[in-house]
Amino acid sequence: MTPHYPLEGVVSWNMNTTCNYRCSYCTQRFVESRAQWARDLPRFLSAFAALPGDWEIKLSGGEPFRHPHFLDAVESLAAAGLRVSVVTNLSSPDADLARFADATRRKPGVISASLHLEYADATEFRDKLARLGARHAGSVVATCVATRALLPRLPALAAHFAEAGVTLKIQPEKQDRDVIAYSPAERDALLALGGHGGTGHIDPDLSGRPCWAGARYFIVDHTGEAFRCYPARRYRQEHLGNLLTPGFRLRTDAEPCHYSYCNCTVPQQRGMVDTR
Ligand code: SF4
Ligand code: SF4
């Protein structure tokens, strides 16, 4: 069955490849250059503001706070009436994080903070996120890559975060863009922790199901190239054009999924595809 038309669309904007960390499991560690960033912000802003209906812009990178004009971009997007969310490693100073919270107060989104234990102390990170959560009008959530080594510690870590009122969700570890070969016991442990991003799934095959990605969800990189979703970009198909050019075309309807592994939590969490 086709899910209802999503009233608010979502764009995942990978606005830079720059990052101040080099996590050993980073899926972007092989990208050609870790120093690319969206340069023509006014054109991006106009393109986002021209999308039909209501939209949330979910900023990610790399580490988006490392974009040289990140907070200006957030303030401009919010002023244009767009909901703004962010995926960040939370390494920025409290003052910059607070500025993000303040800029998005009228139409707040989600701050999704990824804990990387190769660089960050868990308790300091938790407390920093709790402080930000007290200031942010939207929601905050912590995420953590469930490496094999870390997996046994994750239930205790999730409880530690819960003590400060912070939800910790997990992301399966990927290699060559596929989820690593977890054992059945490890998969059970991942599901007990809520699955990928709390979706209740690890690597769902939703092929054939009608999905609103391409119409009410899409991904765009720092150059404006837009694809239906992350698997579409991976296989270089279902290209929607360049967001910054007149050739960009959104779809108008839900269409069947063509991929055997959906790693896009947004369409799953927003009811854009039936995952049951
Ligand atoms: S913080 Fe994120 S983008 Fe940066 S190296 Fe780690 S996993 Fe990659
Ligand atoms: S991979 Fe996921 S987001 Fe992409 S079309 Fe399939 S269900 Fe939709």
Side-chain angles (χ1 to χ4, degrees), residues 204 206-207 209-214 217 228-232 238 255-265 267-268 272-273:
L206 304 175
S207 52
R209 300 191 188 194
C211 174
W212 284 99
Y217 175 72
R228 182 183 190 190
C229 60
Y230 284 108
E238 302 195 272
E255 293 183 20
C257 169
H258 303 302
Y259 310 100
S260 58
Y261 160 40
C262 176
N263 63 324
C264 301
T265 52
Q268 294 182 45
M272 295 188 188
V273 59

Side-chain angles (χ1 to χ4, degrees), residues 19 21-27 29 34 116-119:
C19 188
Y21 291 174
R22 289 289 179 276
C23 304
S24 58
Y25 45 72
C26 180
T27 53
R29 64 191 182 277
R34 298 297 302 262
H116 301 290
L117 289 170
E118 293 170 354
Y119 290 92

Side-chain angles (χ1 to χ4, degrees), residues 16 18-23 62-67 70 86-98 111-116 118-121 124-126 128-129 131-132:
N16 59 340
T18 329
C19 188
N20 50 323
Y21 291 174
R22 289 289 179 276
C23 304
E63 167 50 43
F65 274 84
R66 292 283 152 165
H67 187 289
F70 175 70
V86 69
V87 180
T88 173
N89 61 26
L90 209 68
S91 59
S92 291
D94 280 316
D96 287 351
L97 296 166
I111 297 174
S112 179
S114 42
L115 169 66
H116 301 290
E118 293 170 354
Y119 290 92
D121 173 80
E124 279 173 22
F125 179 96
R126 178 197 74 169
K128 190 175 187 181
L129 185 55
R131 281 196 303 279
L132 179 58

Side-chain angles (χ1 to χ4, degrees), residues 163-177:
E163 281 167 16
V166 177
T167 302
L168 177 68
K169 296 182 177 179
I170 57 107
Q171 297 175 330
E173 184 178 356
K174 288 192 276 183
Q175 232 165 39
D176 299 328
R177 300 179 181 167

